[in-house]
Amino acid sequence: MTTETYRPRRSVLYVPASNDKALAKISSLACDAVIIDLEDAVAPADKVSAREKLAGIFANRPVANHNGRRCEMIVRINPLSSKWGADDLLAAARGEPDAILLPKVDTPRDVLEAGDVLDDNFAPDEVKLWAMIETPKALLNIGPIAELGRDPASRLVCFVAGTNDLVKETGVLATPDRRFLTPWLMQMVLAARAGGLDLLDGVFDGFRDLDGFARECMEAAAMGFDGKSLIHPAQIDAANRAFAPSAEAVAEARLVKAAFALAENAGKGVIALNGKMVERLHLAQAEKLLAKAAAIGA
């Protein structure tokens, strides 16, 4: 998690920059964030025209979404190594989105070079960078990439798992339980936590299989992911439920916070609460959970 005001990222919907109908619906959606996509969702012949729409999209960005909160808006550009990437990055920066999502990140240098472009073009510090983890090389370098999250100058605040690309690049079998992907997903969790980054799970392709999607969300939440990237608005509600703290967890967090606030517990590193040993680290976890609950109105 970043040290800034907590921003929920339970449900993050990809919206093609070339799809005017989908773009018009953003303000009516209950997702925490949208990714305006210039990459996979846009055909090569449409990439330049899609990029040219960014200025209008961000000039008319919604003030608040269906939940009454401002929906984060991120732009996924094409890889910087492609013929579109450099122009995408500059166009995205001019729109001053909440973040720019970099695909095909392989090394820390990929993030640093994008950050240098933003700095050189006077993009505000509030424009952050997100990184797709979707290649074998990214997984081999994930520790050093994640470490950039500890340096605010890097702008890096979030990882997004690119599970479809990992399946394609490695040849592993994509089973419903994701058993061959799980070791890599857990590696992402460890790296993200070490770097203080948020982490989003990859997309679930069967958007009509809402039961399967809900199961995958619950599993991802149990693994430690902060949210999930989505391909269809029908997936928003299940993601929001899965990645929100339960009422029981909120109640327990309030008890922990209240217990440490008692005068007799001032300065104590460990206290007893309802027959359990509770440490200051549990207080930190409780405060984080309560901040999340407050941000989403839970």
Side-chain angles (χ1 to χ4, degrees):
M1 306 299 297
T2 67
T3 57
E4 300 175 347
T5 301
Y6 177 75
R7 286 183 172 182
R9 290 165 180 152
R10 300 165 298 164
S11 51
V12 181
L13 178 68
Y14 284 105
V15 179
S18 55
N19 189 329
D20 292 337
K21 184 178 178 181
L23 290 167
K25 293 180 179 179
I26 290 175
S27 63
S28 68
L29 300 175
C31 52
D32 290 331
V34 294
I35 297 173
I36 308 301
D37 194 14
L38 298 176
E39 194 206 14
D40 288 345
V42 178
D46 298 329
K47 287 190 181 292
V48 173
S49 60
R51 179 200 303 144
E52 290 172 347
K53 289 185 177 182
L54 289 180
I57 291 170
F58 284 94
N60 298 290
R61 64 187 297 170
V63 175
N65 67 2
H66 179 74
N67 292 326
R69 291 184 282 103
R70 189 175 70 79
C71 181
E72 270 195 290
M73 294 184 69
I74 298 92
V75 177
R76 180 165 70 169
I77 65 173
N78 286 282
L80 290 175
S81 59
S82 73
K83 63 181 180 180
W84 304 287
D87 289 336
D88 285 354
L89 181 58
L90 291 174
R94 285 193 291 271
E96 297 186 8
D98 293 289
I100 296 170
L101 176 55
L102 305 174
K104 303 299 185 289
V105 168
D106 283 334
T107 69
R109 175 51 53 189
D110 295 327
V111 177
L112 293 171
E113 288 180 351
D116 287 345
V117 171
L118 296 183
D119 292 343
D120 291 345
N121 286 274
F122 307 105
D125 292 343
E126 289 76 17
V127 178
K128 303 301 183 183
L129 290 173
W130 292 14
M132 297 290 303
I133 303 300
E134 56 185 345
T135 68
K137 196 168 183 179
L139 282 170
L140 291 175
N141 292 318
I142 196 166
I145 297 171
E147 192 62 27
L148 294 176
R150 296 296 179 186
D151 179 7
S154 78
R155 299 177 185 253
L156 183 65
V157 298
C158 188
F159 277 164
V160 181
T163 44
N164 282 342
D165 279 86
L166 281 172
V167 168
K168 173 176 173 267
E169 294 295 326
T170 61
V172 302
L173 183 63
T175 59
D177 63 1
R178 301 201 293 181
R179 61 183 179 275
F180 300 120
L181 280 170
T182 297
W184 299 334
L185 294 172
M186 295 307 303
Q187 189 177 356
M188 293 181 202
V189 172
L190 285 173
R193 298 302 167 243
L197 302 170
D198 275 356
L199 176 64
L200 305 180
D201 191 16
V203 299
F204 183 87
D205 295 325
F207 63 87
R208 297 188 188 278
D209 180 9
L210 294 182
D211 290 338
F213 174 75
R215 283 195 301 273
E216 191 163 290
C217 284
M218 294 299 293
E219 290 169 357
M223 288 184 206
F225 283 81
D226 296 292
K228 194 161 180 69
S229 48
L230 316 177
I231 59 170
H232 195 280
Q235 299 175 325
I236 293 172
D237 288 344
N240 283 346
R241 289 194 301 271
F243 293 98
S246 67
E248 293 79 10
V250 171
E252 184 175 352
R254 286 175 176 155
L255 285 175
V256 170
K257 185 176 180 180
F260 273 103
L262 293 174
E264 61 263 32
N265 292 328
K268 289 184 180 179
V270 181
I271 63 173
L273 180 64
N274 295 334
K276 295 181 181 179
M277 182 187 74
V278 181
E279 303 178 60
R280 288 275 167 184
L281 66 89
H282 297 115
L283 174 61
Q285 290 173 332
E287 290 175 336
K288 177 179 173 181
L289 186 145
L290 291 172
K292 181 174 186 177
I296 63 177

